[in-house]
Amino acid sequence: VLALTGKIKEVGEKLFASNGKEVTFAAALESCQKVKGTLATPTNEAENEAVLAFVKQYNRYAYLGFKESETVGTFKDLNSAPLNYTKWYQYQPNGKGAEKCVEMYTDGTWNDKICNAHRLTICEF
């Protein structure tokens, strides 16, 4: 258990964990699904802060569990549910359909991003 200190954060009913690895969106999602989780999908400020703690710990931007829908500029979670909470950086999203994934900056704000960049993997359970 001591080896996991700092590697797991609990917020409400969710657990967040990171392996510290930077990979593409597809590889990050696959690694989370292999351990019966999904990519971190913050739905409120407390969850966003928990994910941000990993981003700051590793000093790396991280992928979030959101994708652009068929409607350009509209993002949904990986179950295609609309987002009730967002924390977009000023003037984001601005990829106009070319940036279908979402990353978290080291200040906790979000940016739409291409999906083949290498970003930190943070899973949610």
Side-chain angles (χ1 to χ4, degrees), residues 21-24 28 61-63 103 113 117-121:
K21 296 191 173 151
E22 289 183 279
V23 294
T24 64
Y61 295 172
Y63 277 123
E103 65 183 353
K113 186 72 182 168
H118 284 76
R119 294 292 179 261
L120 183 63
T121 302

Side-chain angles (χ1 to χ4, degrees), residues 5-17:
T5 302
K7 305 271 192 245
I8 295 177
K9 306 219 179 299
E10 186 175 0
V11 179
E13 299 291 309
K14 290 185 180 179
L15 287 175
F16 297 97

